[in-house]
Amino acid sequence: MNNNNHKVLFACSEISPLIKTGGLADVCASLPIALRKSDTDLKVALPGYKSVLEQFENTRFICMLDLPLGAVAVCCAQFENTDLLLICHPVFSNRAGNPYMSDDDRGWPDNPMRFALFSQAVTELAINPAYLDWAPDLVHCHDWQTGLVPALLALHNPRPATVFTIHNIAYQGNIMHNHYVELGLPAAIFHANGLEFWGQASYIKGGIAYADRVNTVSPRYAAEIQTDAFGNGLDGLLRSRRERVSGILNGIDTDEWDPATDTHLPANYSADDLSGKNKNKAALQKQMGLPQQPETPLFGVISRLAEQKGIDVIVDAVEQAETLEFQLIVLGSGETDLQNRLYNLQQKHPQHVAIKIGFDETLSRLIEAGSDVFIMPSRYEPCGLNQLYSLRYGTLPLVTDVGGLADTVINYDNNPDEANGFLIKEASPDSLTEGINRALQLYTDKPVWQQLQHNGMAAHFSWDISAGLYLQLYTSAIGDAAVANEQIRHAKLTG
Ligand code: ADP
Ligand code: GLC
């Protein structure tokens, strides 16, 4: 990894284990750790959510920021040996639970204000070195919650460089134009080449339009979002900036996710001795109330219950099966109709299907370790982490041929030396059924199955390579920003 000593302000809305709704939190926890190994001088900004503040005994008050949307206090906590800058305001600190949604699964109505406020705070800290006694060369933003930052920074000269990472282009942070005006957000960035999106204001579009460099979390998804089928209306803009758009595959924290040391598991194991995996399977079957049958193939799912993930496809495929020759365990939280469909399936097949609704880190580890196959029939998947955790835990992924899934899973097709799982053509019940049948057939061929497990466990998905690619991206963005700053300075001078 090259040593560039960049000063980076990393802005995100989730960090595991402090606050997590999905893979964004895992990436925003583990990428900074990997970057720091290359001596990147990094600070991380996160909203001061109630549950996050409760996890720190000591935070150090840094400053007050008097922002257009209100005054916030910036407090610093130490997290993984990094300065964590908590942006404190009652809209974050007075609400428990999920960072974006109330208990009835609806987005907080003031989310546009909350994340505009957060973005204003990040912008102010980035522009004015007096606050932190530190001036970042670059601000690295993630998803729509921070999409306004590159747009707001573009109103300043000189400004630090910006990188915007798209973790999921379907979540856009779009608001009505009159709401945007009511929030007092700048008119200067509301136009066709800026935030304006079919008459609305789009926070994610701000990140894509204004950042010096835009990337997403796998090469395949970087290509897909430049097409009509996957671009969610932003493919044209992405194509117009294609020289600035790239894909960098997510890594995983291989210390945190290691079956040999995972303290959540009843039994640890490694590629050299997989016997502990069977003990986890038995424990998982017991905990979920399924018959403890070591020879019955066990399929696991851990997922947000959202259209993206193809949970309906799983239910359809199981419903249309004549007999169930496998067990299925699903852990998930999200859409109510999917929860109901899953509960119905469990009722119909109590000996074969077990469902747990909720967010449960410990159970998720046991599912990774105890399952034989991990199913992820996503309609689209920017990267996906669960298939990577599955590979590491010797659980063969059965996934659709999209996004990061296609970049990481090598399909078994009589190629035992390379394959590590199963790809299916599309998120449809027929495709999934076909994939399940292929997996069931191979399960009877133990030596080949074990070979695939070993291939997956030996694969390298640590952050080492990807963090190096981010450093290169930072260097490019810093170069781009220097040019842009100079052009604007020159234009001002020459009037
Ligand atoms: P996404 O971010 O789209 O939800 P990823 O595969 O990138 O998908 O990451 C999902 C992360 O969230 C994984 O770490 C997964 O284990 C975790 N996760 C998702 N749902 C649950 C749940 N119900 N309980 C525990 N962990 C979950
Ligand atoms: C998003 C994507 C997922 C990705 C994660 C982390 O939530 O849906 O595919 O792995 O972000 O980048």
Side-chain angles (χ1 to χ4, degrees), residues 341-385:
R341 289 202 68 195
L342 288 167
Y343 279 136
N344 286 341
L345 202 65
Q346 174 178 254
Q347 252 170 6
K348 243 193 261 168
H349 304 283
Q351 296 298 305
H352 294 91
V353 178
I355 307 297
K356 167 86 189 285
I357 300 299
F359 200 92
D360 186 335
E361 179 77 27
T362 303
L363 179 58
S364 81
R365 306 285 185 132
L366 186 58
I367 293 177
E368 285 294 3
S371 303
D372 297 299
V373 177
F374 191 90
I375 321 185
M376 217 167 155
S378 306
R379 293 192 158 83
Y380 69 92
E381 196 60 70
C383 179
L385 297 177

Side-chain angles (χ1 to χ4, degrees), residues 82-114:
T82 300
D83 282 352
L84 180 65
L85 304 168
L86 297 165
I87 309 302
C88 299
H89 185 280
V91 291
F92 298 121
S93 56
N94 279 359
R95 254 169 250 178
N98 184 294
Y100 322 119
M101 290 194 288
S102 53
D103 284 344
D104 61 2
D105 227 23
R106 268 191 259 198
W108 298 112
D110 59 352
N111 277 344
M113 179 272 172
R114 297 168 81 223

